Structures are given as structure tokens and as C-alpha cells.
Amino acid sequence: MGAAGDVDGGGSVRHALTSRGNIVTRRLGCVRAHRRWSAATGHTSGRRHGTAGRTPLLAPSEKSTGTGSSEFVVTFREGRGVPGWVERNKQSPVPGLWPYGLDLLSGAGLPVKSVEVPDLSGLGRRLAGAIGARRPRGGAGTTALAWDETSAVPMYSGIPAYHHFSGVIWATDAVAAGERSAALDLAARTLPRFDGLWVLSRPQAEKVQQWLGAGSPPVHFLRFGVDADFYAAAPYPDEPHVVSVGGDRDRDPATLFEALRLVLAARPGTRVTVQSGTDLPVPDGVTVVPRLPHVEVRDLLASATVTAIATRHNLHASGMTVGLESLSTGRPVVACATPGMDDYFGEDRARLVPPADPAAMADEILGLLGDPAGAAAMGEAGAAVVRERYTTGTMCADLASILTGR
């Protein structure tokens, strides 16, 4: 969530700011993003300082009918936007045209453009936290959205728009753990000014509302989705193969490795492949591979007969993405029953076990390995459910409803 350190929002810092300091702050978070927005949209505009309240959402009848000025600007962190995604696709195929498939908002009837916003520097975070985030002026009907809170603050400071929306993903666990940082503090000051927020796990919604307090914007549950065309359903393999992919901050390689050790003790010779960057000792019989391009992850998941995902307790449904990608290829999933995972992984297509319980995970993996027909049927059911409810297309349709109020 950024460099740790409390933000002094009191008079000592506030009185020390000069007009030059205000200009520096604006430039740190706004100027480059504003220029990129202007280049992407063809607009130029002045700026104004933060407003006392949010501009109401436009009614559906006031939105663009093809001749109006409504537009939706999707923001990504610097270096993680559409140009980099396109370049990666040239080197090795990636899912979707944009990260997270957000280009499909256009399929939901929204005129979308993309822009990258720079991260605020440490100085920028401190100054912005002391004086409050700046909201540049934009054309009526312009909506800016950020995938998560890490790009929401620079977006709000730097994108000229009247309406702002963002996802909240990582902050909920940091807040629940009692963490303090300049980035969290600045997000807590900025997000209440947005028109709406979304989360990818239902339990996150209550935590976000508690964090931001009374008067916070509506918090919506948005079902995540994957590119079901990229992760196409494949015939179920004959050779037993347990696969685990991923290494975000809430993965639990210790539990995973112990579960796999138990599986191999019961079924020696079973093929086991783990994609991870962990430095923990690897059990005998387990092959660990480094970070892989998307196309190789897809092929690895398609070679599995069961996918195992071990995670620590968290609120943002860690492991959800690779779990849905695995289901999309037609493979059953064994994952940890952390809050929100049951929104994605029902009993017809997955087995959820308590976190930090390697014996329970091993039992479910062994059960699926011992019943190939049943495992294949679960995978088939999972592939069908993904295509019905959890694609990037269905996610963008739901997101469009959040953005427009329809």
C-alpha cells in the first residue's frame, strides 16, 4: 500500500505549506495525468480545487445518446496500462485487449478510453494528505474510474472528471489488521468524495463502509470475471496432475506444501507442479516453476486434473482469479474457505477447506484424484458456470450498471 509512515494532518504541517508547496503537490499528482487525459480524450480544461460535495450522477436520459459529451476514462497505474498490455501481447498472448478485460465496457454501451496515472511520490503523499486531494474540473458527464485504490488517489487528483468511481481491493485487509500508512490515510481522505465504490468480495463491503465512515459513497459487490475465450475449456486429462498457481501476499505456501506432501505420501508418483516464488523447502516429488506468461499458465491449468489454492485468512478472496481461470478450462478446484470465496466456488465445482488445514486440503485433493469421472464432471460444471456468471463480459456489464445507475 505504499511507504509506511503516519501523515501529520495537524497545524504544524498545514501552516508550513506555502503557495509553492501547493503547486508542487498538484504537479506531483496531477500534471502528467492531466496531460495524458487530454491526449487520450482530446479535451483540455482548467482545474479547480477540491469541492465540498460530490456532483450527483447524471440521470440515464442525460447520458450520451451518441451526440452528447458523456465519456468514461479508465485509469491504470503508470506502466500497467493498455500500452504495456498490448506490448506484452506481442511477446506472448494475454487475455483480453485491456487489463481485466475493461475494454468490454464498450460492449455494455459505454464510450471508454484509457489513461495511465503516475504514482504519487512520498513527498506528494505527505503534501496531498495535509492539504486534501485536488479535484480537477472536467466536462459535464465525464466519468473516471480506477480498478483499485492504488490508482484512485492519483486519478482523483489528476483526471478532469465530474464523476469518480473505484474498486477497493487491498485496503480492507490492511485496515482489518490495524495497519497505518500514508497511502491508507490519503485513500481514507479521498475515497469518501467518490460517487461509488466496488469490491470483489461481499465481506469487504462492510469493512469499507466502517473504514470510510458515515457519508461514504455506495459500496457495491462486483463479481469478478475472467476471459473464458482465452481460458478455453479443454478435454479432461488422463494423467493425474495436481497444479497450483500464484503467489500474491495472501498465499500460504507452507500449508500448500504440507498438503502436497500428504498427497504424495498417499499416492506416490502423482505429478505435482507449483508455480510460486516461495523460498520454502520443496517437498520431494513437487516441481516448482517460476512466474509464467499468461499463455503458459493457461496451458499448465489445462494439464491439471485438480487445481489447489492455499491462502491465509483475507477479505479480498485471494486465489479467486486463478480459481476461475482453472474452472474456465474445466478443472475442479480445492481452495480455502476465506470470506467471500463461496460467492465464486460452489460445491458443484469446487471444494473449500478451512485455511491453514493441510490435512483437509490433502483429503479433498485425494478424493478428486480417486474419482476422475466425478472430478471431470465438476470441471465441466465449473466451465459452464464461469461462462454464465464470471466472464469479463458479465463483469463489465455489472460494472456498467454501477457506473450509470441503471
Side-chain angles (χ1 to χ4, degrees), residues 1 100 147-150 167-174 198-200 204 208 315-316:
M1 293 299 299
Y100 309 108
W147 178 249
D148 62 30
E149 66 275 21
T150 62
V168 180
I169 299 177
W170 308 107
T172 51
D173 288 294
W198 68 82
V199 293
L200 303 180
Q204 289 182 292
V208 170
L315 295 176
H316 67 271

PDB file of all heavy atoms in Angstrom, residues 1 100 147-150 167-174 198-200 204 208 315-316:
ATOM      1  N   MET A   1       0.811  -1.207   0.000  1.00  0.00           N
ATOM      2  CA  MET A   1       0.000   0.000   0.000  1.00  0.00           C
ATOM      3  C   MET A   1       0.844   1.256   0.000  1.00  0.00           C
ATOM      4  O   MET A   1       0.346   2.336   0.210  1.00  0.00           O
ATOM      5  CB  MET A   1      -0.918  -0.003   1.239  1.00  0.00           C
ATOM      6  CG  MET A   1      -1.970  -1.094   1.196  1.00  0.00           C
ATOM      7  SD  MET A   1      -3.065  -0.914  -0.220  1.00  0.00           S
ATOM      8  CE  MET A   1      -3.781   0.674   0.073  1.00  0.00           C
ATOM      9  N   TYR A 100      -7.725  -6.712 -17.170  1.00  0.00           N
ATOM     10  CA  TYR A 100      -9.011  -7.056 -16.545  1.00  0.00           C
ATOM     11  C   TYR A 100     -10.170  -7.062 -17.538  1.00  0.00           C
ATOM     12  O   TYR A 100     -11.330  -7.135 -17.129  1.00  0.00           O
ATOM     13  CB  TYR A 100      -9.342  -6.103 -15.380  1.00  0.00           C
ATOM     14  CG  TYR A 100      -8.233  -5.972 -14.392  1.00  0.00           C
ATOM     15  CD1 TYR A 100      -7.481  -4.797 -14.316  1.00  0.00           C
ATOM     16  CD2 TYR A 100      -7.903  -7.023 -13.537  1.00  0.00           C
ATOM     17  CE1 TYR A 100      -6.434  -4.675 -13.414  1.00  0.00           C
ATOM     18  CE2 TYR A 100      -6.866  -6.904 -12.629  1.00  0.00           C
ATOM     19  CZ  TYR A 100      -6.124  -5.736 -12.581  1.00  0.00           C
ATOM     20  OH  TYR A 100      -5.094  -5.610 -11.680  1.00  0.00           O
ATOM     21  N   TRP A 147      -9.333   0.824 -11.231  1.00  0.00           N
ATOM     22  CA  TRP A 147      -9.601  -0.561 -10.859  1.00  0.00           C
ATOM     23  C   TRP A 147      -9.485  -0.763  -9.354  1.00  0.00           C
ATOM     24  O   TRP A 147     -10.271  -1.505  -8.767  1.00  0.00           O
ATOM     25  CB  TRP A 147      -8.667  -1.510 -11.599  1.00  0.00           C
ATOM     26  CG  TRP A 147      -8.877  -2.947 -11.203  1.00  0.00           C
ATOM     27  CD1 TRP A 147      -8.036  -3.739 -10.492  1.00  0.00           C
ATOM     28  CD2 TRP A 147     -10.019  -3.750 -11.497  1.00  0.00           C
ATOM     29  NE1 TRP A 147      -8.582  -4.985 -10.311  1.00  0.00           N
ATOM     30  CE2 TRP A 147      -9.801  -5.013 -10.923  1.00  0.00           C
ATOM     31  CE3 TRP A 147     -11.214  -3.519 -12.182  1.00  0.00           C
ATOM     32  CZ2 TRP A 147     -10.735  -6.056 -11.013  1.00  0.00           C
ATOM     33  CZ3 TRP A 147     -12.148  -4.553 -12.270  1.00  0.00           C
ATOM     34  CH2 TRP A 147     -11.899  -5.795 -11.688  1.00  0.00           C
ATOM     35  N   ASP A 148      -8.505  -0.128  -8.729  1.00  0.00           N
ATOM     36  CA  ASP A 148      -8.370  -0.293  -7.280  1.00  0.00           C
ATOM     37  C   ASP A 148      -7.868   1.000  -6.655  1.00  0.00           C
ATOM     38  O   ASP A 148      -7.587   1.992  -7.344  1.00  0.00           O
ATOM     39  CB  ASP A 148      -7.456  -1.472  -6.919  1.00  0.00           C
ATOM     40  CG  ASP A 148      -6.031  -1.309  -7.406  1.00  0.00           C
ATOM     41  OD1 ASP A 148      -5.562  -0.164  -7.496  1.00  0.00           O
ATOM     42  OD2 ASP A 148      -5.369  -2.323  -7.685  1.00  0.00           O
ATOM     43  N   GLU A 149      -7.765   0.988  -5.334  1.00  0.00           N
ATOM     44  CA  GLU A 149      -7.452   2.205  -4.594  1.00  0.00           C
ATOM     45  C   GLU A 149      -6.037   2.711  -4.822  1.00  0.00           C
ATOM     46  O   GLU A 149      -5.751   3.886  -4.559  1.00  0.00           O
ATOM     47  CB  GLU A 149      -7.696   1.985  -3.096  1.00  0.00           C
ATOM     48  CG  GLU A 149      -6.789   0.981  -2.413  1.00  0.00           C
ATOM     49  CD  GLU A 149      -7.255  -0.460  -2.523  1.00  0.00           C
ATOM     50  OE1 GLU A 149      -8.054  -0.782  -3.444  1.00  0.00           O
ATOM     51  OE2 GLU A 149      -6.823  -1.274  -1.702  1.00  0.00           O
ATOM     52  N   THR A 150      -5.139   1.863  -5.319  1.00  0.00           N
ATOM     53  CA  THR A 150      -3.763   2.315  -5.527  1.00  0.00           C
ATOM     54  C   THR A 150      -3.664   3.344  -6.643  1.00  0.00           C
ATOM     55  O   THR A 150      -2.734   4.161  -6.655  1.00  0.00           O
ATOM     56  CB  THR A 150      -2.834   1.129  -5.845  1.00  0.00           C
ATOM     57  OG1 THR A 150      -3.249   0.502  -7.057  1.00  0.00           O
ATOM     58  CG2 THR A 150      -2.851   0.108  -4.718  1.00  0.00           C
ATOM     59  N   GLY A 167     -12.589   0.655  -7.504  1.00  0.00           N
ATOM     60  CA  GLY A 167     -12.613  -0.558  -6.712  1.00  0.00           C
ATOM     61  C   GLY A 167     -11.768  -0.373  -5.461  1.00  0.00           C
ATOM     62  O   GLY A 167     -10.875   0.478  -5.408  1.00  0.00           O
ATOM     63  N   VAL A 168     -12.059  -1.157  -4.436  1.00  0.00           N
ATOM     64  CA  VAL A 168     -11.242  -1.208  -3.221  1.00  0.00           C
ATOM     65  C   VAL A 168     -10.900  -2.675  -2.991  1.00  0.00           C
ATOM     66  O   VAL A 168     -11.793  -3.490  -2.764  1.00  0.00           O
ATOM     67  CB  VAL A 168     -11.979  -0.628  -1.997  1.00  0.00           C
ATOM     68  CG1 VAL A 168     -11.090  -0.699  -0.756  1.00  0.00           C
ATOM     69  CG2 VAL A 168     -12.418   0.806  -2.264  1.00  0.00           C
ATOM     70  N   ILE A 169      -9.613  -3.000  -3.086  1.00  0.00           N
ATOM     71  CA  ILE A 169      -9.196  -4.404  -3.023  1.00  0.00           C
ATOM     72  C   ILE A 169      -8.272  -4.661  -1.840  1.00  0.00           C
ATOM     73  O   ILE A 169      -8.561  -5.478  -0.969  1.00  0.00           O
ATOM     74  CB  ILE A 169      -8.518  -4.825  -4.338  1.00  0.00           C
ATOM     75  CG1 ILE A 169      -9.500  -4.685  -5.516  1.00  0.00           C
ATOM     76  CG2 ILE A 169      -8.008  -6.268  -4.244  1.00  0.00           C
ATOM     77  CD1 ILE A 169      -8.907  -5.001  -6.876  1.00  0.00           C
ATOM     78  N   TRP A 170      -7.151  -3.954  -1.793  1.00  0.00           N
ATOM     79  CA  TRP A 170      -6.100  -4.295  -0.841  1.00  0.00           C
ATOM     80  C   TRP A 170      -6.297  -3.637   0.517  1.00  0.00           C
ATOM     81  O   TRP A 170      -5.843  -4.157   1.538  1.00  0.00           O
ATOM     82  CB  TRP A 170      -4.736  -3.886  -1.412  1.00  0.00           C
ATOM     83  CG  TRP A 170      -4.508  -4.413  -2.786  1.00  0.00           C
ATOM     84  CD1 TRP A 170      -4.523  -3.709  -3.957  1.00  0.00           C
ATOM     85  CD2 TRP A 170      -4.265  -5.777  -3.150  1.00  0.00           C
ATOM     86  NE1 TRP A 170      -4.298  -4.544  -5.020  1.00  0.00           N
ATOM     87  CE2 TRP A 170      -4.136  -5.818  -4.553  1.00  0.00           C
ATOM     88  CE3 TRP A 170      -4.140  -6.966  -2.430  1.00  0.00           C
ATOM     89  CZ2 TRP A 170      -3.880  -6.996  -5.250  1.00  0.00           C
ATOM     90  CZ3 TRP A 170      -3.890  -8.139  -3.120  1.00  0.00           C
ATOM     91  CH2 TRP A 170      -3.762  -8.140  -4.518  1.00  0.00           C
ATOM     92  N   ALA A 171      -6.961  -2.508   0.562  1.00  0.00           N
ATOM     93  CA  ALA A 171      -7.037  -1.737   1.800  1.00  0.00           C
ATOM     94  C   ALA A 171      -7.790  -2.464   2.903  1.00  0.00           C
ATOM     95  O   ALA A 171      -7.495  -2.275   4.082  1.00  0.00           O
ATOM     96  CB  ALA A 171      -7.701  -0.381   1.529  1.00  0.00           C
ATOM     97  N   THR A 172      -8.766  -3.285   2.544  1.00  0.00           N
ATOM     98  CA  THR A 172      -9.608  -3.885   3.575  1.00  0.00           C
ATOM     99  C   THR A 172      -8.815  -4.751   4.548  1.00  0.00           C
ATOM    100  O   THR A 172      -9.042  -4.710   5.757  1.00  0.00           O
ATOM    101  CB  THR A 172     -10.738  -4.705   2.942  1.00  0.00           C
ATOM    102  OG1 THR A 172     -10.191  -5.603   1.968  1.00  0.00           O
ATOM    103  CG2 THR A 172     -11.753  -3.800   2.260  1.00  0.00           C
ATOM    104  N   ASP A 173      -7.876  -5.528   4.036  1.00  0.00           N
ATOM    105  CA  ASP A 173      -7.087  -6.377   4.924  1.00  0.00           C
ATOM    106  C   ASP A 173      -6.104  -5.557   5.743  1.00  0.00           C
ATOM    107  O   ASP A 173      -5.846  -5.875   6.912  1.00  0.00           O
ATOM    108  CB  ASP A 173      -6.355  -7.451   4.112  1.00  0.00           C
ATOM    109  CG  ASP A 173      -7.319  -8.505   3.591  1.00  0.00           C
ATOM    110  OD1 ASP A 173      -7.893  -9.238   4.411  1.00  0.00           O
ATOM    111  OD2 ASP A 173      -7.512  -8.579   2.365  1.00  0.00           O
ATOM    112  N   ALA A 174      -5.557  -4.503   5.152  1.00  0.00           N
ATOM    113  CA  ALA A 174      -4.655  -3.631   5.901  1.00  0.00           C
ATOM    114  C   ALA A 174      -5.404  -2.936   7.034  1.00  0.00           C
ATOM    115  O   ALA A 174      -4.899  -2.839   8.164  1.00  0.00           O
ATOM    116  CB  ALA A 174      -4.022  -2.602   4.967  1.00  0.00           C
ATOM    117  N   TRP A 198     -16.618  -0.153  -5.542  1.00  0.00           N
ATOM    118  CA  TRP A 198     -16.985  -1.567  -5.641  1.00  0.00           C
ATOM    119  C   TRP A 198     -15.914  -2.430  -4.988  1.00  0.00           C
ATOM    120  O   TRP A 198     -14.769  -2.021  -4.828  1.00  0.00           O
ATOM    121  CB  TRP A 198     -17.209  -1.992  -7.093  1.00  0.00           C
ATOM    122  CG  TRP A 198     -15.985  -1.996  -7.954  1.00  0.00           C
ATOM    123  CD1 TRP A 198     -15.040  -2.986  -8.043  1.00  0.00           C
ATOM    124  CD2 TRP A 198     -15.561  -0.973  -8.867  1.00  0.00           C
ATOM    125  NE1 TRP A 198     -14.061  -2.645  -8.945  1.00  0.00           N
ATOM    126  CE2 TRP A 198     -14.358  -1.408  -9.472  1.00  0.00           C
ATOM    127  CE3 TRP A 198     -16.093   0.265  -9.229  1.00  0.00           C
ATOM    128  CZ2 TRP A 198     -13.683  -0.649 -10.409  1.00  0.00           C
ATOM    129  CZ3 TRP A 198     -15.408   1.019 -10.163  1.00  0.00           C
ATOM    130  CH2 TRP A 198     -14.224   0.572 -10.741  1.00  0.00           C
ATOM    131  N   VAL A 199     -16.323  -3.620  -4.585  1.00  0.00           N
ATOM    132  CA  VAL A 199     -15.426  -4.624  -4.013  1.00  0.00           C
ATOM    133  C   VAL A 199     -15.685  -5.939  -4.728  1.00  0.00           C
ATOM    134  O   VAL A 199     -16.740  -6.141  -5.334  1.00  0.00           O
ATOM    135  CB  VAL A 199     -15.642  -4.784  -2.491  1.00  0.00           C
ATOM    136  CG1 VAL A 199     -15.222  -3.521  -1.757  1.00  0.00           C
ATOM    137  CG2 VAL A 199     -17.101  -5.129  -2.178  1.00  0.00           C
ATOM    138  N   LEU A 200     -14.724  -6.851  -4.660  1.00  0.00           N
ATOM    139  CA  LEU A 200     -14.836  -8.140  -5.359  1.00  0.00           C
ATOM    140  C   LEU A 200     -15.232  -9.270  -4.423  1.00  0.00           C
ATOM    141  O   LEU A 200     -15.363 -10.409  -4.850  1.00  0.00           O
ATOM    142  CB  LEU A 200     -13.505  -8.477  -6.042  1.00  0.00           C
ATOM    143  CG  LEU A 200     -12.995  -7.425  -7.032  1.00  0.00           C
ATOM    144  CD1 LEU A 200     -11.668  -7.875  -7.641  1.00  0.00           C
ATOM    145  CD2 LEU A 200     -14.023  -7.151  -8.126  1.00  0.00           C
ATOM    146  N   GLN A 204     -15.989  -7.561   2.084  1.00  0.00           N
ATOM    147  CA  GLN A 204     -15.228  -6.305   2.024  1.00  0.00           C
ATOM    148  C   GLN A 204     -16.136  -5.082   2.149  1.00  0.00           C
ATOM    149  O   GLN A 204     -15.694  -4.036   2.624  1.00  0.00           O
ATOM    150  CB  GLN A 204     -14.464  -6.209   0.707  1.00  0.00           C
ATOM    151  CG  GLN A 204     -13.285  -7.145   0.569  1.00  0.00           C
ATOM    152  CD  GLN A 204     -12.573  -6.919  -0.749  1.00  0.00           C
ATOM    153  OE1 GLN A 204     -13.108  -7.196  -1.814  1.00  0.00           O
ATOM    154  NE2 GLN A 204     -11.361  -6.393  -0.669  1.00  0.00           N
ATOM    155  N   VAL A 208     -15.246  -1.670   4.218  1.00  0.00           N
ATOM    156  CA  VAL A 208     -15.017  -0.383   3.550  1.00  0.00           C
ATOM    157  C   VAL A 208     -15.912   0.693   4.157  1.00  0.00           C
ATOM    158  O   VAL A 208     -15.479   1.818   4.422  1.00  0.00           O
ATOM    159  CB  VAL A 208     -15.249  -0.505   2.034  1.00  0.00           C
ATOM    160  CG1 VAL A 208     -15.250   0.873   1.371  1.00  0.00           C
ATOM    161  CG2 VAL A 208     -14.184  -1.386   1.398  1.00  0.00           C
ATOM    162  N   LEU A 315      -9.787 -10.892   3.230  1.00  0.00           N
ATOM    163  CA  LEU A 315     -11.131 -10.465   2.861  1.00  0.00           C
ATOM    164  C   LEU A 315     -11.321 -10.287   1.365  1.00  0.00           C
ATOM    165  O   LEU A 315     -12.461 -10.166   0.906  1.00  0.00           O
ATOM    166  CB  LEU A 315     -11.474  -9.142   3.565  1.00  0.00           C
ATOM    167  CG  LEU A 315     -11.574  -9.186   5.090  1.00  0.00           C
ATOM    168  CD1 LEU A 315     -11.830  -7.780   5.633  1.00  0.00           C
ATOM    169  CD2 LEU A 315     -12.689 -10.122   5.534  1.00  0.00           C
ATOM    170  N   HIS A 316     -10.231 -10.232   0.592  1.00  0.00           N
ATOM    171  CA  HIS A 316     -10.379  -9.893  -0.823  1.00  0.00           C
ATOM    172  C   HIS A 316     -10.420 -11.118  -1.742  1.00  0.00           C
ATOM    173  O   HIS A 316     -10.281 -10.998  -2.953  1.00  0.00           O
ATOM    174  CB  HIS A 316      -9.272  -8.940  -1.270  1.00  0.00           C
ATOM    175  CG  HIS A 316      -7.903  -9.544  -1.279  1.00  0.00           C
ATOM    176  ND1 HIS A 316      -7.079  -9.534  -0.177  1.00  0.00           N
ATOM    177  CD2 HIS A 316      -7.198 -10.177  -2.247  1.00  0.00           C
ATOM    178  CE1 HIS A 316      -5.940 -10.122  -0.471  1.00  0.00           C
ATOM    179  NE2 HIS A 316      -5.988 -10.518  -1.725  1.00  0.00           N
TER     180      HIS A 316
END
